[in-house]
Structures are given as C-alpha cells and as structure tokens.
C-alpha cells in the first residue's frame, strides 16, 4: 500500500461522490421531471402534427412505467375541414416502438384525407418501423353504418429495396377470415394501396363513392380486391369482385315511377376510375325472380332501345312477374352497351314464364344520359335537373358524343 496525503484523500472522495452519487441522482431527477413535465401533452400534439400534417389533440399523457407512455383521448383532425380523421381512447407506447390500444375509430368518408396524411408520413424523414396492435378497429360513415375489425395489427417498415410499406390486417366481426390493406410508397414518389377482401365480405357502403348509386345498397356486401394508385396529380383505382344482395328497387329509387322488385348481384370484371370519375365498368348483372312495372318495360324500350316481345304488356295496370334479369354490360367514354345473358334464349335480357320477355338493346354505345335516367325521376326527354342526377352524371366517364351509334 502507498500512503496518500489526507487532503488528496478528501479531494478524491469529493470527486467520487459527485461523479458516482450527485450527478447520477441529479440526472435521474431531471429525467423524471422531464417525462412528467406538465406541457408534455402539447409536445406530443406537436409531434403528431409535424409528422402527419394534421391537427392533434391529446387530453392527458401518463407514464405507467419507465420508457412507456399512455396517451388518453388522442384525436387527429384535418387542417382544412376540421373533420375528425382518427380517434383513439387510450394509446400505450412501449419500448421498441410497440403501440397498443383497445379501440381505434375512423370515418370512412374521410379515408382519402387520412390516406393523404399517411402518405406524407411515409415520405417524411421521421418515418420509422412501428407496430400498432388494436383489439378493435371501428369504421363508420358518420351516420348509422359501422363495421368492426378485431385483433388488428398495423406495421410500418422499410423494405430491402428502400420502398416504404404500411400494412394492416384484421378479422372482420366474428369471422376468422382476414382483411388486409397494404400501402406502398415507391422510391420515385408514387404510391399504391391494395385492399384485399377476397376471403371475407365487407359492407358495400365502405366503397359507396366508387359505383353510381351504391349509396343505396343498404345491406349489400362485397368481396374482391380494390386498388388505388397515384397518377399524375390524381388518384386512380380499380375494383374486381362481387357485390350482393342488392335491393334493385332501392337502387333505382323507392320514389321512382320505375318499379323492379327483386334482388340482384353484380360481378365486376373491371371497374376503373380516376379522381372519382369512372373510366371503365365491365361485368355482369343478374337478379332473382320478381316483379317489374310496365313503366320500367317502357323505359327499357324507349330509353335503352330494348325489344319487348309482347308490347301489349306495356299497357298493363299491374306489375308483371318475371323469372330473371341478366346482362353483360360495358360502360366507358364511348357509351353504354348491354347484352342479354339469360340462358333461356340468346340475347334475352329479361325472361318470364320460361320465355323471353325483353331482348337486349338494339344499339351499342348508348349515351350515358340514358343510364342516368334509370336512377332519377324522368322529366321529358332530357336529364332531370336535380342535384342527384348531376352528382350521378359527374361520376360517369366524360363523353363528347351524345349520339346513338349502331
């Protein structure tokens, strides 16, 4: 052992005390005070706002354990419209960017705005790998329609090729069939989103803005694949799948003078749109047996140039029974074409009593104005001047040709 002067010993002890006791204690106090600071709610709000470019509100932030935070009543709203995009009652943030919540809610009517915010996050410098586990995801349309996804997992990651991905997967209701949504942002700045519902059925109101009149398909469900992708400054997309059951009378309009009481199913081979305007719709439409009014037969004859086998039925005062309505349709900028698809006879559009009742239109590429007339009250020979008719027409392909071409 070597001897050290007492003064040096005291100096060494003081330095050791400061380095090993005082500074760690002070750092711990500063750390605790920082993570329990009274303004941390505003700090978290600013983080969400800078990352997603939305308005964020957080009621309370707590720290149940070290390195863990719980955010209560988190709400994200759009900056321009103040519409609510996302609501989370309680979000728990754990180590390793693991987020958990009991319930997550969002409005399907704001899905485009929410997707834009997600795309900003995918492109930003603050993008990172995150896993969100939600016991329940509640989707509603701001009115009375809602659906639930359970055991939902949302993951973000950077792929080996440098592209960024956000993937969501959950189970619909009580079923064990998965629903999957994947959003990819490519290195060139373009993006694509794919909703895969081939193994289950989602309520049609989720995609009510994709098909003209689909907002009237209460109770119908669809299964298939929906895709969205960036195209110049617009959003384009496509849908391939099956939709049923459709109450045809509600689709045409319960107040319409045209009566068609039956259930239908739609099979879309191609449904392509750009910026909420359809570019191509192609598929088949089939119905079960039901009743049709003479007014509807008259409209098929005069409006769509169909051939009614027995024109004496047009003067009937009672609804007419039929076996099936079936057609293959093609709608694009050139117009509307429909071909009869009833198996009872070639080119048969409507069958009744084991015979052909109505044959397919005599012309192809009919003006799309005649399609609108089926869903809106008739006013003479022109389109009805109603907001509903204008909204419906705005969803159809643009066309400069209003003539019937054979």
């Amino acid at each position: 052992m070597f001897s050290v002067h007492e003064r040096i010993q005291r100096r060494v002890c003081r330095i050791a005390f400061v380095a090993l006791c005082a500074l760690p204690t002070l750092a711990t106090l500063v750390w605790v005070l920082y993570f329990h600071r009274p303004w941390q709610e505003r700090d978290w709000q600013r983080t969400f706002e800078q990352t997603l470019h939305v308005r964020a509100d957080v009621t309370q932030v707590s720290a149940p354990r070290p390195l863990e935070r719980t955010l209560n009543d988190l709400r994200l709203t759009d900056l321009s419209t103040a519409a609510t995009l996302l609501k989370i009652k309680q979000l728990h943030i754990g180590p390793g960017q693991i987020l958990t919540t009991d319930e997550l809610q969002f409005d399907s009517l704001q899905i485009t705005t929410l997707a834009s915010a997600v795309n900003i996050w995918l492109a930003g410098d603050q993008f990172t790998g995150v896993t969100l586990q939600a016991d329940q995801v509640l989707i509603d349309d701001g009115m009375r329609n809602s659906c639930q996804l359970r055991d939902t997992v949302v993951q973000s990651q950077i792929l080996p090729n440098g592209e960024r991905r956000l993937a969501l997967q959950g189970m619909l209701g009580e079923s064990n069939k998965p629903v999957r949504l994947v959003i990819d942002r490519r290195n060139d700045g373009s993006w694509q989103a794919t909703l895969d519902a081939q193994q289950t059925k989602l309520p049609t109101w989720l995609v009510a803005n994709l098909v003209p009149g689909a907002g009237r398909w209460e109770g119908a469900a669809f299964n298939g694949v929906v895709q969205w992708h960036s195209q110049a400054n617009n959003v384009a997309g496509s849908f391939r799948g099956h939709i049923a059951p459709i109450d045809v009378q509600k689709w045409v309009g319960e107040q319409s003078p045209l009566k068609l009481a039956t259930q239908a199913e739609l099979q879309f081979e191609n449904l392509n749109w750009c910026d909420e305007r359809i570019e191509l719709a192609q598929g088949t439409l089939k119905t079960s047996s039901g009743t049709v009014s003479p007014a509807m037969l008259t409209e098929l004859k005069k409006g769509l140039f169909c051939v009614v086998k027995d024109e004496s039925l047009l003067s009937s005062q009672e609804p007419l029974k039929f076996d099936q309505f079936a057609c293959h349709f093609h709608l694009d900028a050139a117009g509307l074409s429909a071909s009869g698809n009833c198996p009872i006879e070639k080119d048969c559009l409507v069958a009744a009593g084991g015979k052909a009742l109505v044959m397919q239109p005599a012309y192809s590429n009919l003006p799309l104005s005649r399609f609108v007339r089926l869903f809106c009250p008739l006013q003479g020979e022109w389109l009805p001047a109603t907001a509903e008719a204008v909204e419906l027409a705005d969803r159809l392909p643009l066309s400069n040709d209003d003539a019937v071409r054979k």
Side-chain angles (χ1 to χ4, degrees), residues 33 37 57 65 130 174 265 273-274 288 302 320 322 333:
L33 290 174
R37 62 196 183 281
D57 293 293
R65 285 177 290 275
V130 176
E174 298 300 323
E265 59 179 69
W273 68 88
C274 181
S288 59
K302 293 183 177 180
L320 307 171
F322 68 93

Side-chain angles (χ1 to χ4, degrees), residues 67-308:
L67 302 179
E68 297 184 13
R69 293 295 172 268
T70 298
L71 281 61
N72 293 316
D73 294 329
L74 172 64
R75 180 189 298 265
L76 304 182
T77 56
D78 183 50
L79 290 175
S80 58
T81 65
T84 300
L85 303 178
L86 197 68
K87 292 191 295 184
I88 302 178
K89 291 183 178 180
Q90 190 174 79
L91 179 65
H92 181 78
I93 304 175
Q97 298 295 320
I98 303 297
L99 285 65
T100 58
T101 181
D102 293 334
E103 183 178 278
L104 183 152
Q105 302 179 41
F106 70 86
D107 186 346
S108 65
L109 299 179
Q110 304 299 327
I111 189 65
T112 302
T113 308
L114 180 59
S116 176
V118 170
N119 190 42
I120 291 173
W121 176 54
L122 289 173
D125 296 334
Q126 300 184 46
F127 179 83
T128 185
V130 176
T131 299
L132 170 63
Q133 300 172 346
D135 294 339
Q136 175 178 276
V137 175
L138 180 63
I139 309 169
D140 62 54
D141 62 355
M143 293 179 285
R144 65 180 185 277
N145 297 314
S146 66
C147 72
Q148 297 178 359
L149 296 178
R150 59 179 179 82
D151 301 331
T152 304
V153 177
V154 183
Q155 289 184 312
S156 63
Q157 58 180 318
I158 299 178
L159 303 179
N161 60 2
E163 296 181 357
R164 299 178 175 187
R165 170 173 292 178
L166 181 68
L168 177 151
Q169 179 168 307
M171 305 295 179
L172 180 65
E174 298 300 323
S175 70
N176 291 318
K177 303 297 184 180
V179 176
R180 183 171 174 82
L181 174 65
V182 178
I183 303 175
D184 288 320
R185 182 177 177 83
R186 304 184 180 93
N187 295 325
D188 61 3
S190 62
W191 60 269
Q192 176 176 298
T194 302
L195 174 62
D196 186 347
Q198 297 182 84
Q199 300 184 47
T200 187
K201 293 183 178 180
L202 290 173
T204 307
W205 55 264
L206 286 173
V207 291
N209 62 330
L210 303 184
V211 185
R216 301 172 178 175
W217 294 348
E218 184 177 351
F222 77 90
N223 66 293
V225 177
V226 187
Q227 288 188 330
W228 298 265
H229 64 272
S230 57
Q231 180 174 303
N233 295 322
N234 299 318
V235 176
S238 64
F239 169 64
R240 292 172 178 81
H242 178 264
I243 301 175
I246 300 172
D247 187 321
V248 179
Q249 188 58 63
K250 289 185 178 180
W251 187 14
V252 174
E254 293 182 293
Q255 304 303 320
S256 171
L258 309 179
K259 303 300 182 183
L260 188 60
T262 184
Q263 298 288 314
E265 59 179 69
L266 263 172
Q267 180 69 40
F268 279 106
E269 300 165 6
N270 288 291
L271 174 61
N272 302 329
W273 68 88
C274 181
D275 198 21
E276 297 188 353
R277 182 182 289 276
I278 291 177
E279 294 183 332
L280 169 66
Q282 178 177 307
T284 58
L285 172 65
K286 294 182 179 180
T287 76
S288 59
S289 60
T291 60
V292 58
S293 67
M296 174 63 83
L297 296 182
T298 301
E299 180 60 27
L300 291 177
K301 178 178 181 294
K302 293 183 177 180
L304 298 182
F305 301 100
C306 296
V307 177
V308 179

